[in-house]
Amino acid sequence: MDRVTQLLSQMTLHQKIGQLVQYNANLFIRTSADITGPQAQLGLSNEDLAVSSSVLNFSCAKEVIAIQDAHLRDDPLKIPMVFMMDVIHGYRTIYPIPLGLACSFDPQLAEDCSVMAAKEASADGVQVTFTPMVDYVRDARWGRVMETAGEEPIVTSAMAKAQIKGFQGENMADPERLATCVKHYAGYGGAEAGRDYNLVELSMRELREYYLPAYKACIDAGAPLLMPSFNSLNGVPSVANSLLMKQILKDEWNFDGVVISDYNAIGELLSHGIAADAKEAAKLAFENGCDIEMCSSTYFHHIPQLLEEGAITMEQLDAAVARVLRLKEKLGLFEDPYHGADPEKAEKLFLCPEHRQVVRRAAAESAVLLKNEQVLPFPKDTKTVAVIGPFATEHGIKGFWSCQGRDEDTTTVAQGVENLLGADRVLTARGCGCLWDDTDISGIQEAVELAKKADRVILCLGEPQNYSGEGNCRTDLKLPGVQELLAQQVIAANANTVAVVFGGRPLDLSGLDAVAPAILYMWFPGTEGGNAAADLIFGLRNPCGKLTMSFPRSVGQCPIYYNHPNTGRPHWTAEYKHRGYASDYIDCATLPLYSFGHGLSYTTFEYSDLSVSSQELAENGTIQVRVQVKNTGDRAGKEVVQLYSRDPVASVVRPVQQLVDFRKISLEPGESQWVEFTVTEQMLRFWNMQDQHMTEPGEIRFMVGYADHFLLTQSINRI
Ligand code: NOJ
């Protein structure tokens, strides 16, 4: 008999339910025997906690070991607890927010970052991370866009697979690795009006084509856990949504890992008005395949009765418990219940030079040079540099989900520049604040005076790091407060200015774009953000990030995305040009300010000789698409070669452009390289009105270059 079957045969019902719940650590570290606080609110007894077998968002090697020891001492079956945490963009050494990291278009970099985070987190007692988050997004108002890879499923899938590989390695029992949990299944990023937790209404075609592929890619890449999302999808919250949870996840995708609810998502079925009481909520979630209930207590209170009533069966319960036990087996917890937790090792790893190096590179490669009218790079012998703005000396640039990262460990832009030039050449002024209701303009004059005195100006603007992330949505995407005014006046005082912008989402930079000769978008870059900014500004590194989410000209354009379908009256403009009775606005252009795929470099690239290996592509066939890329500038640089397609006539309206594949290459000055893409017919498929995934005979166009701005085009025939 294998271990799991053996254990199941010995477990009481109460012990089985204990495997299916997850609570915060404060319930387990209690100093008195009285039941108070969250435990009392959840109606949990000490006996319930004694069998509860997984801990949410808690780490610290010493205490994890102590909790595990106490648990194993009291558990007659010696089933270890499992510790899960949101290790999203680093553990203690923090790399850029996922939306930033995606702009590196570099899955290997995402893997390197994940390997590093796994080492730190596992040494400090974490065994499972709630990552990758692969929600597809098109609306910058939603605060959680910062956790995503943006508006392209191919990029999202590639980055997520790299994260899974980095966190899990070959074997998640390895004490330096973690298990991953793909989330939030499904459609959470489609929240109506960009408001968190809001309903999502999607056609089946839209869901399958844009939203589902990345979750599927993660399951195929071996993610052993999945978290359903908070939102209702087409009327039913995910955790109770049988189409998502049974039909697609289990029947179509054969997912046999652990499903864990999001925080109190089962309890929230009552607020949604889908369950009349907690018992019904437990039934709905359980019968739809939710194995672990996070931070509500409907399973403890109602599974016994549901079993008695025959609403659920003991076989179903055993199957759920077995999935959890198997995860613990895969993690090697029965052999090493601490999974490598080691306080001394953790201390050595945190912020060590190698880890700082990884995140510095990641921060630099995630940054996107949005605009540069011959301002950057600044010469290293610049005599005086004024670092101005609310983010000039701001340590809070590590981002919302930065786990055990600390602001005080983070280098500011001013420090980064000082590290490079020496403190005596750097002047700083705050100028103004960055909160949405900051109206104080009294610091602007001092900033202007400083700008006049300096040879060059680095103007550090943005939104605070807690303006994005879970629950932090905005209806106004402009730079908060009076920052645009600061920008106008500082740039008027000194034209040698670069605006360095920090944000957890694409902000509306129209006002800044109108005055700034150069804009470098840093996202929230993490621990080494200030050093990375200085590296880029002074040309020690060449910017190479490309946007994975379009920047709107105004919040009124949201949702806006590059892979938009055509209309019967298309009128795609980059400048304000109202035509009348066309699909446009009377007061704004239709294209984004900066589109998906946009990002400048200090060098230039020339594309030539786009060719296809055949003019025809059959069903299940393959074709090679080649293009030559040359570095025509005088600096080494990295380019993201982007291959797009368009199906101009089909039975359903197709996007005007659709990324097929990408490749990031490095070129020395004058160097050229052939880039070859293998395109399969499957890669070009779409969902038709009959819910079939297919291509149709007819023309298919390939384009290389950048969205809304293609350099070369070639057509083939799908026969
Ligand atoms: C709620 C969030 O939606 C989810 O992303 C996270 O993993 C859980 N809380 C646990 O912290």
Side-chain angles (χ1 to χ4, degrees):
M1 209 189 289
D2 68 17
R3 174 170 26 215
V4 170
T5 321
Q6 169 93 37
L7 281 171
L8 279 171
S9 72
Q10 293 169 284
M11 290 167 89
T12 63
L13 173 59
H14 197 223
Q15 285 168 328
K16 288 179 184 175
I17 300 173
Q19 294 300 314
L20 305 184
V21 294
Q22 176 168 88
Y23 297 115
N24 286 307
N26 56 358
L27 300 189
F28 298 96
I29 322 173
R30 285 178 310 103
T31 42
S32 88
D34 299 338
I35 300 177
T36 54
Q39 184 186 343
Q41 281 158 25
L42 288 168
L44 296 173
S45 65
N46 283 343
E47 290 70 39
D48 291 336
L49 283 187
V51 294
S52 295
S53 208
S54 103
V55 182
L56 171 65
N57 277 347
F58 180 76
S59 59
C60 174
K62 229 168 106 197
E63 294 189 48
V64 166
I65 292 170
I67 295 176
Q68 189 71 290
D69 279 345
H71 173 81
L72 290 174
R73 193 183 52 228
D74 295 341
D75 179 5
L77 297 174
K78 310 283 172 228
I79 303 175
M81 295 180 115
V82 56
F83 291 77
M84 308 195 191
M85 196 163 195
D86 291 291
V87 185
I88 308 292
H89 53 110
Y91 181 74
R92 178 68 188 275
T93 316
I94 304 301
Y95 46 90
I97 57 170
L99 183 55
L101 193 59
C103 294
S104 72
F105 276 83
D106 188 344
Q108 184 58 54
L109 182 58
E111 188 181 327
D112 295 348
C113 287
S114 307
V115 168
M116 179 210 74
K119 279 190 189 156
E120 292 189 4
S122 57
D124 213 23
V126 183
Q127 297 150 3
V128 174
T129 171
F130 296 117
T131 219
M133 193 275 214
V134 294
D135 298 330
Y136 178 70
V137 288
R138 292 171 166 175
D139 193 332
R141 290 173 294 181
W142 193 47
R144 301 196 80 167
V145 299
M146 54 88 43
E147 289 173 64
T148 76
E151 67 196 37
E152 174 43 60
I154 290 177
V155 179
T156 304
S157 301
M159 296 306 278
K161 283 195 275 185
Q163 284 171 268
I164 292 171
K165 194 161 164 227
F167 274 112
Q168 290 184 185
E170 294 297 310
N171 176 9
M172 63 187 93
D174 180 334
E176 296 201 328
R177 304 290 183 156
L178 306 180
T180 58
C181 173
V182 53
K183 67 188 187 186
H184 308 86
Y185 179 75
Y188 187 28
E192 190 175 276
R195 178 159 53 82
D196 208 357
Y197 319 119
N198 205 3
L199 78 159
V200 178
E201 289 286 324
L202 289 172
S203 73
M204 201 61 182
R205 278 196 313 107
E206 190 86 342
L207 181 68
R208 287 201 185 274
E209 190 148 334
Y210 297 101
Y211 289 80
L212 294 187
Y215 307 109
K216 171 77 162 59
C218 290
I219 290 170
D220 292 346
L225 292 101
L226 172 138
M227 185 188 289
S229 52
F230 283 127
N231 58 284
S232 64
L233 177 73
N234 299 341
V236 184
S238 298
V239 75
N241 189 317
S242 63
L243 171 82
L244 284 178
M245 304 303 294
K246 286 181 166 172
Q247 186 185 315
I248 298 179
L249 185 65
K250 300 271 167 144
D251 299 348
E252 289 183 27
W253 297 353
N254 299 316
F255 180 66
D256 62 358
V258 172
V259 173
I260 179 166
S261 85
D262 203 342
Y263 198 107
N264 191 34
I266 301 183
E268 287 171 20
L269 291 177
L270 276 75
S271 322
H272 276 288
I274 279 289
D277 53 29
K279 184 173 137 199
E280 197 180 358
K283 175 173 174 287
L284 280 170
F286 186 81
E287 73 186 7
N288 279 296
C290 181
D291 300 318
I292 300 182
E293 172 174 33
M294 184 195 285
C295 293
S296 43
S297 50
T298 70
Y299 280 11
F300 261 133
H301 296 319
H302 301 291
I303 280 188
Q305 204 188 340
L306 290 169
L307 276 168
E308 263 170 42
E309 291 169 357
I312 62 174
T313 66
M314 190 55 89
E315 288 69 44
Q316 286 171 323
L317 188 76
D318 283 353
V321 177
R323 284 191 283 272
V324 176
L325 294 176
R326 271 192 213 104
L327 172 71
K328 293 183 176 183
E329 267 200 324
K330 277 194 204 158
L331 280 163
L333 294 179
F334 289 96
E335 289 73 32
D336 172 12
Y338 316 121
H339 196 68
D342 175 346
E344 277 172 30
K345 182 176 172 190
E347 275 309 317
K348 274 192 204 137
L349 288 170
F350 294 165
L351 305 166
C352 66
E354 300 89 86
H355 288 190
R356 280 193 177 271
Q357 220 177 352
V358 174
V359 301
R360 185 165 177 166
R361 178 163 66 95
E365 300 226 352
S366 303
V368 184
L369 183 60
L370 295 175
K371 182 173 179 186
N372 185 19
E373 287 172 350
Q374 292 170 353
V375 170
L376 290 179
F378 286 173
K380 260 199 81 183
D381 58 4
T382 304
K383 277 211 214 84
T384 48
V385 179
V387 188
I388 292 174
F391 283 84
T393 56
E394 174 58 60
H395 289 272
I397 54 169
K398 60 188 189 349
F400 181 85
W401 277 109
S402 40
C403 211
Q404 303 290 13
R406 299 179 188 168
D407 283 351
E408 63 266 28
D409 295 333
T410 305
T411 51
T412 67
V413 177
Q415 285 170 341
V417 179
E418 284 175 10
N419 291 342
L420 212 62
L421 304 187
D424 52 330
R425 283 153 71 189
V426 181
L427 313 163
T428 60
R430 186 157 183 270
C432 66
C434 58
L435 303 179
W436 64 269
D437 53 356
D438 261 331
T439 50
D440 185 5
I441 56 169
S442 61
I444 294 185
Q445 197 47 41
E446 184 205 348
V448 168
E449 295 309 321
L450 204 72
K452 282 186 190 154
K453 254 197 272 169
D455 295 301
R456 305 204 178 230
V457 178
I458 301 171
L459 183 58
C460 303
L461 309 171
E463 60 171 2
Q465 58 184 352
N466 61 357
Y467 276 25
S468 58
E470 186 176 348
N472 298 321
C473 304
R474 296 186 60 191
T475 60
D476 178 357
L477 299 179
K478 291 205 174 100
L479 288 166
V482 292
Q483 293 184 83
E484 277 189 15
L485 186 70
L486 175 73
Q488 285 159 14
Q489 301 202 4
V490 164
I491 294 163
N494 189 334
N496 275 321
T497 295
V498 56
V500 175
V501 186
F502 296 88
R505 54 163 62 77
L507 289 168
D508 164 4
L509 297 183
S510 317
L512 184 66
D513 181 80
V515 292
I519 305 176
L520 179 66
Y521 208 76
M522 292 299 296
W523 304 103
F524 285 113
T527 310
E528 287 290 315
N531 283 327
D535 289 346
L536 291 166
I537 293 166
F538 290 91
L540 276 69
R541 287 177 191 267
N542 192 348
C544 60
K546 306 272 184 197
L547 297 179
T548 59
M549 193 170 177
S550 300
F551 274 50
R553 288 166 194 277
S554 138
V555 72
Q557 283 188 320
C558 292
I560 187 162
Y561 45 98
Y562 87 97
N563 44 359
H564 51 82
N566 236 349
T567 66
R569 298 186 175 191
H571 187 43
W572 303 113
T573 61
E575 276 150 34
Y576 160 63
K577 237 188 263 163
H578 174 51
R579 204 176 68 188
Y581 300 103
S583 183
D584 65 4
Y585 300 104
I586 59 169
D587 58 357
C588 183
T590 39
L591 289 175
L593 181 63
Y594 307 114
S595 190
F596 175 91
H598 170 75
L600 305 172
S601 163
Y602 296 152
T603 188
T604 44
F605 299 99
E606 191 181 275
Y607 284 69
S608 63
D609 304 309
L610 177 67
S611 67
V612 286
S613 60
S614 163
Q615 289 301 322
E616 295 184 337
L617 177 66
E619 195 178 345
N620 293 317
T622 299
I623 193 170
Q624 313 297 327
V625 183
R626 302 179 87 208
V627 68
Q628 189 162 202
V629 188
K630 181 172 184 190
N631 180 345
T632 47
D634 54 11
R635 275 170 190 267
K638 293 185 180 175
E639 171 72 329
V640 179
V641 184
Q642 305 162 42
L643 177 70
Y644 294 81
S645 72
R646 178 168 184 179
D647 184 344
V649 183
S651 59
V652 292
V653 179
R654 302 300 304 138
V656 298
Q657 52 207 348
Q658 181 84 52
L659 192 75
V660 178
D661 204 354
F662 64 90
R663 193 79 38 80
K664 189 168 183 178
I665 59 169
S666 291
L667 292 176
E668 292 299 317
E671 188 186 350
S672 352
Q673 193 179 314
W674 281 102
V675 176
E676 185 169 285
F677 296 100
T678 300
V679 181
T680 64
E681 181 263 337
Q682 285 92 336
M683 288 161 80
L684 304 172
R685 287 185 182 175
F686 60 91
W687 292 88
N688 69 8
M689 293 302 283
Q690 287 73 42
D691 205 22
Q692 294 160 328
H693 198 213
M694 35 76 84
T695 53
E696 291 166 352
E699 182 190 354
I700 290 178
R701 254 172 240 163
F702 290 115
M703 297 92 81
V704 287
Y706 317 102
D708 300 321
H709 174 52
F710 295 113
L711 305 169
L712 299 166
T713 303
Q714 268 278 352
S715 282
I716 60 157
N717 199 15
R718 155 74 175 87
I719 51 168

